[in-house]
Amino acid sequence: MRSTQIRSTFLDFFTSRGHRHVPSSPLISSDPTLLLANAGMNQFKPYFLGEATPEYPRATTIQKCARTSDIDNVGRTNRHATFFEMMGNFSFGDYFKADAIDFAWELLTQGYNLEKDRLWITVYQDDDEAEQLWRKIGVPAERIQRLGMEDNFWSMGVPGPCGPCSEVNYDRGPAFGREGGPAVDGERYVEIWNLVFMQYQRGEGDKKGGFPLLGDLAQQSIDTGLGLDRLAAILQDVENVCGTDLLRPTLTTVQELAGRDYPGSGEEKVSFQVVTEHARSIAYLIADGVLPAKDGRGYILRRLMRRAIRHARLLGIDRAVLAPATASVIANLGDIWPELTEQATLIEQVVTAEEESFTRTLAQGTRLLDAAITRSRESRSTTLAGDTAFELHDTFGFPVELTVEAARDAGLTVDEDRFADLLAEQQQRAKAGGKAKTAEALRRQDAYRELSARHGRTDFVGYDHLDAEATVLGLISDSTVVPGADEGSMLELVLDRSPFYAESGGQVGDTGTIRTSGGTLLEVLDTKPGLEGFHVHTVRVVEGEIRAGEQVEALVDGARREAVARSHSATHVLHAMLRRTLGDHARQHGSLVDAGRLRFDFAHFSSVERPQLAAIETLVNDRLLDDPKVRVWHASRAEAEAAGATALFGEKYGDHVRIVDIGDFSRELCGGTHIGHGSNAGPVRIVGEASIGSNLRRIEALTGRDALNYYDTERRLLEELSGLLGTRPQNAPDALRKRLDALSAAERELGRLREAELRSRAQQLAASARTVSGGRVVTEKVTGLGPDELRTLAHRTAGLLDAGHAVVVLGTERDGKALLAAAVTPSLHDTGTEASRILIPAARTVGGGAGGKGPVASAGGRRAEALDEALTIAAQDAARVLDQ
């Protein structure tokens, strides 16, 4: 059964049983506790927690998932992967254990025709009910095993919904391992389907140390996950996912690049599988908006890319591997996941640039490693320092596996314990900082949940009104719900209805005021989303006191809102014109939409040159001058996508979406505020373009009045400049160019005259040389020279005295300081005499020190009045040196 049929069989089964087919969410998770989507239930977390009400009681998905917790096992086992498609069915307070078990058994044995006697079941050690349900359905007791929390209690790995689970495992036969069921051998008895009975909420901790259960969820729910990769390997009778139709074309590409076949065992087999499997993960991550970076999800992508490149090099592939490997993923799976095809150019450019960069890193790291190995050998050590391995890893991104391998080839071992200690210290520091932030965020989320459970969602009325009568639902201070607050307090406030837009999609939150009938005045400093559909206002109590339950009047700063709306509409137009000019890959990767200004981040691989940037600015303003109508409409997600609406990377959208059209050239899913017509947004003035990371650019622009003010400032500067040049503004560039050319010519002539003067002065000084025992000495106080010219004059004077040993010491006063320079002839320097030796006592006299190695040295000090004395001392020291 091919993977396309496996997917359709699953979806047809559950949709025919009342489940809503929900599209996969992006790999960039909207959950702040997750870097990447790692399970099918991620997008449904608010439903399980009771924070939001679903429009359907049952759902089914095929979710893109990325997990790197077991990255080192990829290629070494048949069941681990960093990317996979998780087929799932979900119940939100509808059905529970019995139906979930019935559905799974029916689909596996009838829909996929798996042999019943090869299916083994594991249940949580205390779950008597689940075992009885499996036995009732026909599974014999000897094929049901009870396991502990680490195996059969599921959570996302962070605080949130959780519960006991029951796993369905398939016996692949004796060729894959030992008898004894999944408790004995996970390679032979491979887990294919996990049924999670979602009924608890967990706190901080891990499975090994345990975590507290914070109580029951509002309703019992079901979350299941059937791994497409593992089921495909079974149904297609291949050893692992690399042999399935999901990855076989990519494996073939890697074999062609390596110039040999995929072996049946050994380290080469591991490398073939790593390159193949990682290529798929890389393609999907980039298609969903992840770009290589030093931290976060970008680091996960970079690690996958570097690991794939390293294993390609181990296979002897010394040319680009990521571009052809990811291209094969796109060709094979692009029909099922169209974002792969849509972002094909982006994927190719990102992997090509990263591979070229890492190839240079490998070369640099290899040089440093070779030097470290040489030092170890010279010191007769048999061990390469763990600090060296860590520096190569941390500073240069050089994989520790390569360090170990190179050291082994040189007959050395790496102090891996020290490396592990240093790595653990670094991770602990990062983890400690992250935990503190997470703990604070969780406390705040708990306060939001408390208020949401009491009162529900915020009724946002700000699309149509800038003011509203409202009730204060709650006040939050230091992440704790409080009954009231006094004058001067800073806190968060929640209303039952609000005209204030909460920061989202790059648009800043509204500001304004909130008043009570009793005269209390609150300044709204910001508005942000708390939970889904829950607005939180950051306020300062200006006058009076505020209490929960009070009636208030909320008023948005209308002028600021209008300026923000202009920037938001301008951002949409800029996005459309960038894609038209640079290519479809130039999609939005972040933005800031503020009053009078915008910042727009997009994918691109080189700077946008000034002429092209000017052309984009002209296109944007031309579009706005055409005064296109801005239209807002609503539709289902599927209808919006079919209509060509652009969804932004990393944004979370529901089944029903809001679409903003600007004319006939821009259509985006958007929840922000906009002006009614394009001409109200302009003008737009681009003021900067720069790189903000690998393959990521940023444009900054001004809009509306701020843009006009910028134009006015530029105009006044041009008028002032043209006035200074004595010409009209339109002639100012040519006039300035002529002045600069004349200035350059004058500077060249001045330099020529200065050079002639220095030659003349050097000749005069050389002629004044005094003969002493052992050679000649020049000591002279000169005027009108800077430090560089003083050194040059001393050096040239010594050059004219090169017939024998000679010393030149010159001094001058400049800006209230004493400057000294000394030079010795080459013949004297050849005897080991450094010029600085002669200057040291003189430099002390003027309150400074001497510097410079070789035949020329300089010195300086604050005591300009001691310059004559210093020159006398230098002359005496020069005579002593020559007399030796």
Side-chain angles (χ1 to χ4, degrees):
M1 185 181 288
R2 291 183 60 80
S3 57
T4 50
Q5 189 179 350
I6 297 173
R7 292 188 193 92
S8 62
T9 298
F10 186 89
L11 293 176
D12 290 346
F13 179 88
F14 282 105
T15 53
S16 69
R17 287 157 178 79
H19 292 68
R20 172 79 68 86
H21 177 203
V22 179
S24 172
S25 66
L27 284 169
I28 297 179
S29 176
S30 59
D31 187 333
T33 64
L34 294 173
L35 285 177
L36 296 166
N38 64 2
M41 60 78 61
N42 290 168
Q43 64 175 309
F44 303 123
K45 182 180 173 182
Y47 302 157
F48 290 124
L49 288 173
E51 297 172 356
T53 302
E55 299 176 9
Y56 36 81
R58 302 179 176 193
T60 183
T61 66
I62 299 178
Q63 173 66 46
K64 297 176 291 187
C65 296
R67 293 182 193 171
T68 55
S69 54
D70 295 314
I71 189 171
D72 292 331
N73 289 324
V74 173
R76 299 191 179 278
T77 71
N78 291 318
R79 67 185 193 275
H80 287 104
T82 57
F83 172 88
F84 52 92
E85 296 178 44
M86 185 65 81
M87 305 185 293
N89 61 287
F90 306 87
S91 162
F92 311 116
D94 185 13
Y95 61 83
F96 200 49
K97 291 183 183 180
D99 286 335
I101 289 171
D102 286 345
F103 286 149
W105 188 255
E106 181 183 355
L107 179 55
L108 290 175
T109 59
Q110 297 180 34
Y112 294 123
N113 295 317
L114 295 181
E115 304 95 318
K116 295 180 181 180
D117 59 359
R118 299 185 76 167
L119 295 176
W120 287 65
I121 308 298
T122 63
V123 298
Y124 183 54
Q125 57 193 8
D126 299 330
D127 197 346
D128 297 333
E129 180 187 5
E131 180 176 357
Q132 291 304 315
L133 288 168
W134 283 113
R135 293 181 67 174
K136 180 180 178 182
I137 215 168
V139 181
E142 60 269 19
R143 291 212 308 275
I144 302 175
Q145 296 182 328
R146 293 186 181 231
L147 298 175
M149 176 172 281
E150 191 164 352
D151 295 293
N152 276 85
F153 197 97
W154 190 91
S155 79
M156 292 192 301
V158 295
C162 64
C165 61
S166 182
E167 296 175 349
V168 183
N169 306 266
Y170 183 82
D171 180 4
R172 303 207 67 186
F176 287 84
R178 298 173 294 163
E179 291 186 4
V184 173
D185 193 326
E187 282 293 291
R188 171 172 172 173
Y189 302 90
V190 63
E191 174 208 337
I192 54 173
W193 203 341
N194 188 10
L195 314 179
V196 181
F197 310 127
M198 203 73 78
Q199 59 191 108
Y200 304 116
Q201 184 174 340
R202 60 157 283 188
E204 281 281 3
D206 56 48
K207 285 190 175 183
K208 292 183 179 179
F211 46 74
L213 295 179
L214 304 180
D216 293 338
L217 296 173
Q219 56 189 12
Q220 293 181 331
S221 299
I222 288 295
D223 155 32
T224 86
L226 172 59
L228 174 63
D229 289 16
R230 295 182 182 183
L231 184 59
I234 291 168
L235 294 177
Q236 295 173 20
D237 194 24
V238 294
E239 186 179 36
N240 57 57
V241 67
C242 289
T244 68
D245 64 336
L246 293 165
L247 279 178
R248 185 74 205 185
T250 304
L251 178 61
T252 299
T253 297
V254 178
Q255 291 180 94
E256 291 170 351
L257 291 168
R260 58 185 180 281
D261 291 337
Y262 168 61
S265 61
E267 290 300 312
E268 279 200 355
K269 177 185 178 184
V270 172
S271 292
F272 270 108
Q273 292 182 191
V274 167
V275 178
T276 301
E277 195 279 334
H278 284 8
R280 178 176 61 166
S281 301
I282 291 163
Y284 277 90
L285 285 167
I286 298 172
D288 268 10
V290 182
L291 292 174
K294 293 180 179 179
D295 53 17
R297 59 179 67 94
Y299 177 73
I300 292 173
L301 172 61
R302 177 163 283 168
R303 185 184 180 196
L304 288 167
M305 296 168 83
R306 291 184 167 187
R307 197 165 187 263
I309 295 166
R310 185 179 75 83
H311 278 276
R313 300 299 181 261
L314 292 176
L315 291 172
I317 303 173
D318 57 2
R319 51 181 168 150
V321 66
L322 293 183
T326 53
S328 70
V329 173
I330 297 166
N332 185 37
L333 298 168
D335 289 342
I336 302 298
W337 299 99
E339 58 267 38
L340 290 173
T341 303
E342 292 167 4
Q343 300 301 325
T345 301
L346 176 66
I347 293 167
E348 180 185 9
Q349 292 174 317
V350 170
V351 299
T352 299
E354 189 70 13
E355 185 159 4
E356 289 174 353
S357 173
F358 187 53
T359 299
R360 292 192 295 271
T361 295
L362 283 174
Q364 182 183 25
T366 299
R367 288 194 298 271
L368 294 169
L369 179 57
D370 289 344
I373 289 172
T374 300
R375 288 195 300 272
S376 296
R377 282 173 164 171
E378 289 174 349
S379 64
R380 297 186 178 179
S381 173
T382 60
T383 303
L384 187 70
D387 295 71
T388 300
F390 182 75
E391 181 185 8
L392 285 165
H393 160 80
D394 189 51
T395 305
F396 301 100
F398 198 77
V400 68
E401 297 92 341
L402 278 183
T403 302
V404 171
E405 182 181 344
R408 184 174 62 242
D409 292 344
L412 303 174
T413 59
V414 174
D415 186 351
E416 294 187 64
D417 290 339
R418 172 63 177 164
F419 173 85
D421 289 343
L422 290 169
L423 186 61
E425 288 174 12
Q426 183 193 61
Q427 292 171 340
Q428 191 60 39
R429 287 192 296 270
K431 190 175 182 181
K435 275 189 173 181
K437 292 178 182 178
T438 301
E440 172 66 20
L442 289 170
R443 286 195 299 272
R444 188 176 290 111
Q445 289 287 312
D446 287 341
Y448 297 159
R449 287 193 190 99
E450 180 182 337
L451 294 176
S452 179
R454 289 188 212 160
H455 307 292
R457 299 161 63 98
T458 302
D459 180 15
F460 175 59
V461 298
Y463 288 133
D464 303 311
H465 303 281
L466 293 179
D467 63 339
E469 300 291 328
T471 302
V472 177
L473 299 182
L475 304 166
I476 301 168
S477 177
D478 293 330
S479 303
T480 303
V481 177
V482 295
D486 300 325
E487 187 172 308
S489 299
M490 293 283 296
L491 66 154
E492 294 180 320
L493 176 146
V494 178
L495 302 172
D496 63 335
R497 62 198 304 264
S498 174
F500 289 89
Y501 180 83
E503 178 182 327
S504 180
Q507 179 174 329
V508 297
D510 279 336
T511 62
T513 57
I514 295 175
R515 293 180 181 272
T516 69
S517 58
T520 296
L521 172 64
L522 285 77
E523 180 184 8
V524 179
L525 303 172
D526 197 5
T527 310
K528 294 182 181 294
L531 307 175
E532 185 176 347
F534 195 68
H535 290 203
V536 178
H537 310 79
T538 301
V539 301
R540 180 172 67 89
V541 184
V542 179
E543 297 176 10
E545 59 182 22
I546 187 71
R547 294 289 180 266
E550 287 196 74
Q551 300 298 305
V552 298
E553 180 185 11
L555 179 64
V556 174
D557 182 339
R560 181 175 180 273
R561 162 75 81 83
E562 182 73 11
V564 172
R566 282 195 289 268
S567 293
H568 205 152
S569 297
T571 299
H572 282 219
V573 179
L574 174 63
H575 189 191
M577 296 305 103
L578 278 170
R579 291 173 63 189
R580 174 169 298 186
T581 304
L582 303 179
D584 194 55
H585 67 275
R587 292 193 171 218
Q588 179 175 339
H589 278 261
S591 68
L592 171 67
V593 178
D594 205 342
R597 69 188 184 98
L598 65 88
R599 189 176 69 213
F600 190 83
D601 302 338
F602 60 100
H604 197 52
F605 310 95
S606 62
S607 62
V608 183
E609 299 300 331
R610 187 177 296 274
Q612 197 170 33
L613 205 61
I616 292 168
E617 179 181 285
T618 299
L619 279 173
V620 170
N621 284 306
D622 284 348
R623 288 293 189 182
L624 294 175
L625 283 172
D626 289 340
D627 199 27
K629 185 176 180 180
V630 179
R631 184 171 74 98
V632 177
W633 53 290
H634 297 79
S636 70
R637 175 74 185 272
E639 289 170 335
E641 289 178 347
T646 299
L648 303 184
F649 288 135
E651 289 294 319
K652 182 180 179 182
Y653 302 100
D655 286 337
H656 292 276
V657 293
R658 183 173 184 264
I659 304 103
V660 175
D661 287 353
I662 301 181
D664 59 358
F665 58 86
S666 173
R667 172 169 287 170
E668 293 190 15
L669 304 187
C670 180
T673 62
H674 290 265
I675 40 82
H677 288 268
S679 61
N680 296 339
V684 173
R685 180 70 165 100
I686 295 175
V687 296
E689 189 275 345
S691 169
I692 58 168
S694 179
N695 309 318
L696 204 58
R697 311 294 302 180
R698 170 171 291 170
I699 280 179
E700 297 192 54
L702 300 174
T703 61
R705 292 185 181 89
D706 289 80
L708 289 173
N709 290 338
Y710 191 87
Y711 282 122
D712 188 53
T713 300
E714 288 183 322
R715 177 185 57 78
R716 285 188 283 104
L717 287 171
L718 179 58
E719 288 176 349
E720 184 178 352
L721 179 62
S722 59
L724 292 172
L725 292 170
T727 187
R728 295 179 178 181
Q730 59 267 35
N731 298 328
D734 285 339
L736 180 58
R737 196 173 294 112
K738 289 177 181 177
R739 293 283 183 94
L740 291 175
D741 289 343
L743 180 60
S744 295
E747 287 176 342
R748 288 194 297 271
E749 178 62 17
L750 183 61
R752 186 185 65 77
L753 295 173
R754 196 68 169 167
E755 179 70 18
E757 182 187 1
L758 285 176
R759 284 199 302 269
S760 176
R761 294 179 76 170
Q763 290 169 353
Q764 294 171 6
L765 289 169
S768 69
R770 294 180 292 109
T771 301
V772 298
S773 178
R776 287 176 293 174
V777 175
V778 175
T779 53
E780 192 75 36
K781 183 176 180 180
V782 296
T783 59
L785 299 181
D788 291 339
E789 290 177 320
L790 192 67
R791 283 171 56 92
T792 300
L793 182 58
H795 181 59
R796 289 190 173 176
T797 303
L800 296 173
L801 300 172
D802 195 25
H805 292 353
V807 177
V808 178
V809 181
L810 304 178
T812 190
E813 293 182 26
R814 190 176 183 88
D815 299 327
K817 296 179 182 179
L819 301 177
L820 292 164
V824 299
T825 54
S827 60
L828 182 58
H829 183 253
D830 290 342
T831 66
T833 301
E834 299 282 329
S836 58
R837 172 185 168 189
I838 299 166
L839 272 190
I840 290 172
R844 293 190 188 127
T845 303
V846 295
K853 291 183 179 181
V856 182
S858 58
R862 297 180 179 277
R863 298 184 61 221
E865 69 277 7
L867 180 59
D868 291 335
E869 181 184 353
L871 287 171
T872 300
I873 291 171
Q876 293 169 355
D877 288 334
R880 277 194 292 272
V881 167
L882 289 169
D883 192 38
Q884 292 175 355

